[in-house]
């Protein structure tokens, strides 16, 4: 059941450049989208989110863009830093059709930022 | 910053044994969750818990699984008779609200069933 897809399993970027991580979803009922970062042996850490009524949300070096007609979102990190190297998960929260915040995760993209 | 804590970090058990995974959610949060990640696979929702009862559960969460909030701070996941395929990372999470409220995850318990 591939409701949330991250088609790039890995991405390598030079320090200081922009990292762009992509995510596609299939269900137009999804209301709220989140990006999580995960280091090995740690739990997912919340990074940034976007409501379905917006098309952009920015927090420091991180910006999330949402294209509802294409059912696509992306996370931009600029400038990228070596400490950003981690697995990034996209997740959808269909709270309009779900009793609680039952997140549906993508498979993740491993970002490697080269010094 | 308050965080979700989970114990133990690693649990090894034999097939057929019962295990209890423990979590202390963030203190002013009202919604509690268990997720799991089998090696190489997605993070999957197991169950959500609100107001001392299960709000929602996935197909994975069968009769072998149960959750409990035995006191004002702990939230536990019990697997009654473990199977090899229960080996995974189990993550506890909590949120203050439903809706546009991000989940905060603990660092997980690695369960290995031999």
């Amino acid at each position: 059941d591939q409701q949330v897809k991250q088609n790039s399993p890995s991405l390598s970027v030079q320090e200081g450049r922009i990292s762009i991580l992509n995510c596609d979803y299939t269900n137009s009922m999804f209301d709220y989208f989140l990006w999580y970062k995960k280091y090995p042996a740690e739990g997912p850490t919340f990074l940034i989110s976007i409501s379905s009524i917006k098309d952009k949300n920015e927090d420091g070096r991180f910006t999330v863009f949402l294209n509802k007609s294409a059912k696509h979102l992306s996370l931009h990190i600029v400038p990228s830093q070596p400490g950003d190297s981690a697995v990034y998960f996209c997740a959808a929260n269909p709270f309009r059709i779900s009793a609680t915040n039952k997140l549906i995760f993508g498979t993740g993209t491993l970002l490697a930022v080269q010094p | 910053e308050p965080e979700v804590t989970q114990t133990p970090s690693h649990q090894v058990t034999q097939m057929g044994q019962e295990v209890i995974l423990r979590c202390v959610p963030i203190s002013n949060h009202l919604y509690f969750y268990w997720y799991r990640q089998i090696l190489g696979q997605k993070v999957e929702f197991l169950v959500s818990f609100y107001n001392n009862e299960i709000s929602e559960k996935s197909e994975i969460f069968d009769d072998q699984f149960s959750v409990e909030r035995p006191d004002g701070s702990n939230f536990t996941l019990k697997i009654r008779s473990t199977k090899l395929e229960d080996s995974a990372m189990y993550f506890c999470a909590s949120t203050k609200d439903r809706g546009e409220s991000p989940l905060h995850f603990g660092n997980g318990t690695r369960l290995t069933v031999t």
Side-chain angles (χ1 to χ4, degrees):
Chain A
D1 181 9
Q2 294 277 312
Q3 293 193 74
V4 177
K5 289 179 275 191
Q6 294 175 257
N7 291 319
S8 299
S10 63
L11 175 68
S12 183
V13 168
Q14 286 294 119
E15 182 178 4
R17 307 295 288 268
I18 184 169
S19 296
I20 300 176
L21 298 109
N22 293 302
C23 178
D24 297 293
Y25 62 96
T26 56
N27 193 332
S28 57
M29 296 292 282
F30 290 162
D31 304 289
Y32 180 57
F33 302 89
L34 308 93
W35 284 94
Y36 282 84
K37 180 167 79 170
K38 187 180 180 304
Y39 295 118
E42 292 186 14
T45 301
F46 171 68
L47 206 52
I48 192 169
S49 62
I50 188 165
S51 167
S52 60
I53 61 172
K54 294 186 175 180
D55 55 20
K56 178 181 172 182
N57 187 28
E58 195 170 349
D59 184 1
R61 296 186 297 116
F62 303 93
T63 303
V64 55
F65 295 92
L66 175 62
N67 182 333
K68 282 185 69 178
S69 59
K71 296 194 185 68
H72 177 83
L73 62 155
S74 60
L75 174 68
H76 292 210
I77 306 173
V78 55
S80 302
Q81 299 172 353
D84 296 330
S85 298
V87 177
Y88 288 78
F89 290 99
C90 169
N93 180 357
F95 64 80
R96 246 194 300 165
I97 55 174
S98 176
T100 51
N101 289 8
K102 182 178 81 173
L103 297 184
I104 301 168
F105 281 89
T107 48
T109 296
L110 175 61
L111 174 65
V113 180
Q114 310 296 335
Chain B
E1 187 176 320
E3 55 183 34
V4 176
T5 57
Q6 290 186 245
T7 56
S9 56
H10 192 188
Q11 173 92 47
V12 181
T13 189
Q14 287 192 323
M15 198 165 52
Q17 296 295 303
E18 174 184 288
V19 293
I20 297 176
L21 310 183
R22 300 179 194 280
C23 169
V24 179
I26 295 172
S27 63
N28 63 346
H29 284 188
L30 301 176
Y31 293 82
F32 313 116
Y33 306 82
W34 285 100
Y35 284 75
R36 80 172 184 190
Q37 186 180 27
I38 294 171
L39 188 64
Q41 297 186 24
K42 290 185 180 189
V43 178
E44 303 173 285
F45 168 79
L46 290 179
V47 66
S48 58
F49 191 86
Y50 170 71
N51 203 24
N52 281 319
E53 59 183 29
I54 289 174
S55 304
E56 206 167 357
K57 59 184 181 180
S58 72
E59 291 172 356
I60 304 165
F61 194 88
D62 61 23
D63 292 343
Q64 292 298 312
F65 292 88
S66 62
V67 289
E68 193 178 31
R69 188 152 162 84
D71 53 42
S73 59
N74 290 285
F75 179 51
T76 61
L77 173 69
K78 183 195 291 187
I79 309 175
R80 215 176 321 277
S81 175
T82 49
K83 307 191 224 9
L84 293 175
E85 54 265 37
D86 294 328
S87 295
M89 283 291 291
Y90 287 81
F91 295 106
C92 174
S94 67
T95 57
K96 197 185 297 189
D97 303 304
R98 187 178 160 265
E100 294 187 2
S101 182
L103 270 68
H104 296 268
F105 286 84
N107 282 335
T109 293
R110 177 172 297 285
L111 176 65
T112 303
V113 182
T114 61

Coordinates of all heavy atoms in Angstrom, one line a residue, chain B residues 30 38 72 92:
Chain B
L30 N -1.8 14.2 25.4 CA -3.0 13.4 25.7 C -3.2 12.2 24.8 O -4.0 11.3 25.1 CB -4.3 14.3 25.5 CG -4.3 15.6 26.4 CD1 -5.5 16.5 26.0 CD2 -4.3 15.2 27.9
I38 N 10.1 -2.6 10.9 CA 10.8 -3.8 10.6 C 12.0 -3.4 9.8 O 11.9 -2.5 8.9 CB 10.0 -4.8 9.9 CG1 8.9 -5.3 10.9 CG2 10.8 -6.0 9.4 CD1 7.8 -6.2 10.2
G72 N -0.3 7.5 35.8 CA -0.4 8.8 35.1 C 0.7 9.1 34.2 O 0.7 10.1 33.5
C92 N 7.4 4.6 20.5 CA 6.3 5.2 21.1 C 6.3 6.7 20.7 O 7.3 7.3 20.5 CB 6.5 5.1 22.6 SG 5.3 6.0 23.7

